[in-house]
Amino acid sequence: MSDSKPRLLLVDDEERFRTTLAKRLAESGFETQTAGSGKDALALLTKEPCDVVVLDIRMPGLSGIETLAEIRKSHIGVEVILLTGNADVPSAIEGMRLGAFDYLMKPHDYDSLLEKLNQAVALKRQREERLRKAEERARLEKLQKHIGF
């Protein structure tokens, strides 16, 4: 498992919320970037990959659900936590169907959010480690066949 700081992208159209939470998350050891819209988040993800996206659902332009769908198409390994002040059953179901790690409501207890973030980072890194080991085994098997073991 990597010991580097977890990379987080916080996406919310409420600037004050985004700035305050980003500062607290940085103090808790996350390398935190922010975006004010789904479109900005997708552009940022293309330039700088991250481990976890915390995504608001109701935003102007692309909604959080639409942004999640785009993240799933182009950034497969990224975990996404939906964090909303306007929870409803259809968006919760759609978010989970699209593979969100979790669906949380604002206001959310900070320690509980940290726990969810750490769980999401751990899941992503475990998956990356399994993939790395599988690739290593495949290379070794190919080498063994080539040498004639």
Side-chain angles (χ1 to χ4, degrees):
M1 184 181 289
S2 173
D3 292 331
S4 63
K5 281 185 173 183
R7 295 164 296 164
L8 174 69
L9 175 58
L10 179 59
V11 186
D12 197 302
D13 61 327
E14 296 177 41
E15 184 177 350
R16 186 172 170 187
F17 173 79
R18 192 174 65 234
T19 303
T20 303
L21 184 56
K23 184 177 177 182
R24 288 188 75 187
L25 291 168
E27 290 170 357
S28 297
F30 288 87
E31 186 180 310
T32 307
Q33 301 226 4
T34 63
S37 70
K39 184 178 174 184
D40 290 348
L42 294 171
L44 195 56
L45 278 173
T46 301
K47 293 181 203 168
E48 299 183 35
C50 74
D51 297 308
V52 180
V53 174
V54 177
L55 185 59
D56 189 15
I57 291 183
R58 286 197 181 171
M59 297 184 290
L62 285 179
S63 71
I65 296 297
E66 292 167 325
T67 305
L68 172 59
E70 291 301 315
I71 290 171
R72 286 289 165 254
K73 288 179 189 172
S74 304
H75 309 282
I76 296 168
V78 174
E79 293 296 334
V80 177
I81 295 175
L82 296 168
L83 181 62
T84 183
N86 302 294
D88 59 53
V89 173
S91 69
I93 291 171
E94 185 63 10
M96 300 313 281
R97 188 188 70 75
L98 289 169
F101 180 81
D102 212 334
Y103 184 97
L104 307 174
M105 291 184 51
K106 294 179 190 172
H108 198 78
D109 174 65
Y110 183 72
D111 290 336
S112 177
L113 176 61
L114 275 181
E115 186 177 326
K116 289 290 181 188
L117 288 169
N118 286 320
Q119 290 171 354
V121 169
L123 177 66
K124 181 180 185 280
R125 291 187 175 176
Q126 288 169 1
R127 187 176 46 246
E128 288 172 346
E129 181 65 14
R130 286 194 312 268
L131 182 60
R132 187 191 63 75
K133 286 181 179 178
E135 289 171 347
E136 198 173 280
R137 277 194 307 272
R139 280 195 302 272
L140 184 60
E141 287 174 12
K142 187 177 178 181
L143 182 63
Q144 287 174 339
K145 282 183 184 177
H146 181 71
I147 293 174
F149 277 89

